[in-house]
Amino acid sequence: MRTMTLADFLAIWLPIFAVILACRTLPIFLLRGRELPPRVVEALGYIPPAAFAALVANDLFPPTLPALLATGVVIAVAWRTRSMLGCCVVGVVAYLLLSLL
């Protein structure tokens, strides 16, 4: 097995970098000044809750009692307020307090 040379590394890294850069910047330039359809705006609104749910789910495996209880508190806050910031703050505080018990 041979070691990777700088040329090998750049041959892999540069195309990947170009694709990632294009995926992140092209929509900004192509959609500038245009209004998105309401369904697209609605669909984009689901991204923050989905990302937050993924972060919460990541802490639930393996399940611990403080994590499960804090999740219940966050679900209650989310149901009541529908506030992402409120869920984050209450979740962190609940997890911290429950971890101290």
Side-chain angles (χ1 to χ4, degrees), residues 17-99:
F17 176 77
V19 169
I20 291 172
L21 183 66
C23 289
R24 292 180 181 213
T25 58
L26 282 178
I28 293 170
F29 293 117
L30 295 175
L31 297 174
R32 183 178 46 207
R34 295 187 179 152
E35 191 165 328
L36 296 174
R39 293 193 71 170
V40 172
V41 173
E42 181 185 353
L44 290 174
Y46 289 115
I47 292 174
F52 184 66
L55 291 172
V56 170
N58 188 37
D59 285 337
L60 291 178
F61 298 103
T64 61
L65 186 59
L68 291 174
L69 293 174
T71 301
V73 172
V74 169
I75 290 171
V77 169
W79 187 273
R80 183 90 172 138
T81 66
R82 301 201 187 275
S83 166
M84 180 71 73
L85 180 61
C87 289
C88 291
V89 171
V90 169
V92 168
V93 171
Y95 185 77
L96 177 71
L97 293 176
L98 290 167
S99 295

